[in-house]
């Protein structure tokens, strides 16, 4: 089979374009991080702006649009692709969250700031564990960034500038998740173009 | 040296393989997504998929989601290997041509010669 260098170049370009498009599509899972980042950014800001409304009420009201949007993204992704999730992944997420929930039950009542911090630390731990056990660098990276942001937000909000505790949470926790999502989307979109 | 693969070289099949090879081993792409991406009809895509499936380059899985049948596609290990060999062969042709152009870049008679290499 003989082809000219021009044909070879055209074929390679077509293959790379198709691969880049696929990477963009598969990177769409990052919208989940952005949606939940917006949630964790909006929640503390609303708490700061509307102190008369209880944190738990705000938490629950904000959950609804996030679940609806996540469902929409999940449904769209589901029509495009199917991922065989390793059963270990489910365990690596449910086990720490389950143990954490039992611990929260005994430690209750907690201040809303502490509760938000603990929930996000648990999720960061899940990502780190899943990344380590399944050797998925992206999950590990998300866990480290999220965990770092949560610890920093808690330290700033508790010891350094407690008057702005909610603002630190919004900026670091919500911003950290949004940042991870935007980075994952950018990685997908820029794959093969560098 | 890697050889060009006649089954994969056809433009639509090359795009199908490129798309599927870019996925993780645990991920499958839907038939409808592939059809829309490549702007092909159901029949046309089906024919290309059959050729690739016969060559054991892709695996086709049919499942029911609710009551609707869905077809999912995935590159096999053999398909990924064949695709990567094909890309290597294309790159080799391009590289050899680039070297040839560089060698003939300053010809005494002022013309540019492009050597064609076959594999």
């Amino acid at each position: 089979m003989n082809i000219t260098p021009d044909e070879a170049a055209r074929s390679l370009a077509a293959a790379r374009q198709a691969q880049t498009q696929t990477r963009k599509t598969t990177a769409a899972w990052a919208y989940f991080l952005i949606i939940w980042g917006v949630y964790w950014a909006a929640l503390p800001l609303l708490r700061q702006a509307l102190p008369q409304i209880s944190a738990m009420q705000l938490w629950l009201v904000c959950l609804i649009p996030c679940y609806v949007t996540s469902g929409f993204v999940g449904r769209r992704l589901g029509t495009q692709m199917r991922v065989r999730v390793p059963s270990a992944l489910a365990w690596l997420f449910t086990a720490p969250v389950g143990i954490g929930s039992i611990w929260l039950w005994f430690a209750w009542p907690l201040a809303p700031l502490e509760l938000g911090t603990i929930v996000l630390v648990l999720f960061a731990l899940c990502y780190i564990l899943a990344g380590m056990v399944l050797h998925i660098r992206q999950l590990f990276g998300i866990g480290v960034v999220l965990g770092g942001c949560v610890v920093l937000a808690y330290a700033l909000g508790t010891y350094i500038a407690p008057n702005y505790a909610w603002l630190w949470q919004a900026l670091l926790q919500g911003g950290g998740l949004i940042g991870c999502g935007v980075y994952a989307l950018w990685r997908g979109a820029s794959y093969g173009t560098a | 040296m890697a050889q060009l693969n006649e089954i994969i070289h056809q433009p639509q099949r090359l795009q199908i393989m490129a798309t599927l090879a870019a996925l993780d081993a645990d991920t499958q792409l839907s038939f409808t997504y592939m059809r829309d991406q490549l702007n092909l009809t159901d029949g046309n895509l089906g024919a290309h998929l059959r050729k690739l499936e016969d060559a054991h380059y892709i695996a086709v899985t049919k499942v029911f989601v609710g009551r609707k049948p869905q077809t999912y596609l995935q590159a096999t290990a053999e398909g990924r290997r064949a695709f990567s060999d094909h890309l290597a062969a294309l790159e080799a042709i391009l590289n050899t041509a680039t070297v040839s152009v560089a060698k003939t870049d300053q010809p005494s008679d002022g013309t540019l010669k492009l050597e064609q290499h076959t594999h």
Side-chain angles (χ1 to χ4, degrees):
Chain A
M1 186 180 182
N2 301 332
I3 64 164
T4 65
D6 278 349
E7 275 182 277
R10 273 198 300 274
S11 294
L12 273 174
R16 283 186 185 137
Q17 194 185 356
Q19 290 193 303
T20 303
Q21 184 55 47
T22 310
R23 299 271 173 186
K24 267 190 210 173
T25 305
T26 52
W29 65 269
Y31 284 114
F32 288 118
L33 292 176
I34 295 175
I35 291 166
W36 289 97
V38 169
Y39 172 78
W40 283 105
L43 196 64
L45 290 178
L46 284 171
R47 178 71 186 147
Q48 183 96 44
L50 306 165
Q52 68 278 17
I53 300 177
S54 90
M56 200 56 85
Q57 275 176 328
L58 276 178
W59 197 333
L60 291 173
V61 168
C62 289
L63 268 179
I64 296 165
C66 282
Y67 273 121
V68 171
T69 325
S70 296
F72 177 77
V73 172
R75 194 178 158 80
R76 183 167 166 70
L77 276 174
T79 61
Q80 295 176 337
M81 65 187 77
R82 197 165 75 130
V83 182
R84 254 178 291 150
V85 178
S87 56
L89 189 66
W91 280 110
L92 289 167
F93 271 82
T94 47
V97 171
I99 294 166
S101 305
I102 294 168
W103 181 79
L104 281 176
W105 178 267
F106 287 107
W108 200 261
L110 288 163
L113 191 69
E114 289 170 332
L115 185 62
T117 303
I118 290 167
V119 168
L120 279 177
V121 163
L122 277 173
F123 276 104
L125 183 69
C126 294
Y127 276 107
I128 291 172
L129 279 176
M132 282 169 68
V133 173
L134 302 172
H135 303 286
I136 304 174
R137 271 197 325 190
Q138 262 182 327
L139 290 183
F140 182 78
I142 290 167
V144 169
V145 171
L146 182 60
C149 286
V150 173
V151 170
L152 191 59
Y154 186 77
L156 285 170
T158 310
Y159 304 111
I160 297 165
N163 290 340
Y164 300 101
W166 298 109
L167 189 65
W168 297 127
Q169 270 207 325
L171 277 176
L172 289 163
Q173 296 176 359
L177 274 172
I178 293 170
C180 287
V182 170
Y183 177 72
L185 281 178
W186 172 78
R187 276 288 300 268
S190 64
Y191 178 84
T193 56
Chain B
M1 183 178 270
Q3 298 287 311
L4 285 175
N5 186 312
E6 287 198 42
I7 297 172
I8 295 178
H9 187 64
Q10 197 278 339
Q12 272 83 40
R13 289 198 288 274
L14 178 77
Q15 284 188 300
I16 292 169
M17 285 308 296
T19 302
L20 295 179
L23 296 171
D24 291 333
D26 293 327
T27 310
Q28 299 174 319
L29 217 57
S30 77
F31 180 94
T32 47
Y33 174 81
M34 184 73 85
R35 181 197 61 198
D36 297 343
Q37 279 302 115
L38 303 185
N39 270 327
L40 295 173
T41 61
D42 284 358
N44 204 341
L45 177 59
H48 287 305
L49 293 178
R50 260 193 302 281
K51 277 218 164 185
L52 291 169
E53 199 183 9
D54 289 345
H56 303 290
Y57 290 165
I58 64 165
V60 179
T61 312
K62 290 175 197 280
V63 292
F64 277 89
V65 179
R67 287 184 182 180
K68 281 186 184 172
Q70 295 266 14
T71 304
Y72 289 96
L73 317 166
Q74 189 177 22
T76 61
E78 196 178 335
R80 285 173 190 273
R81 228 176 0 255
F83 175 71
S84 115
D85 285 349
H86 183 73
L87 284 193
L90 289 174
E91 272 163 7
I93 292 170
L94 214 54
N95 290 339
T96 333
T98 311
V99 170
S100 301
V101 169
K103 277 183 183 167
T104 57
D105 210 14
Q106 296 168 332
S108 54
D109 60 354
T111 56
L112 182 71
K113 288 179 183 171
L114 189 68
E115 289 176 20
Q116 183 180 328
H117 291 259
T118 57
H119 298 269

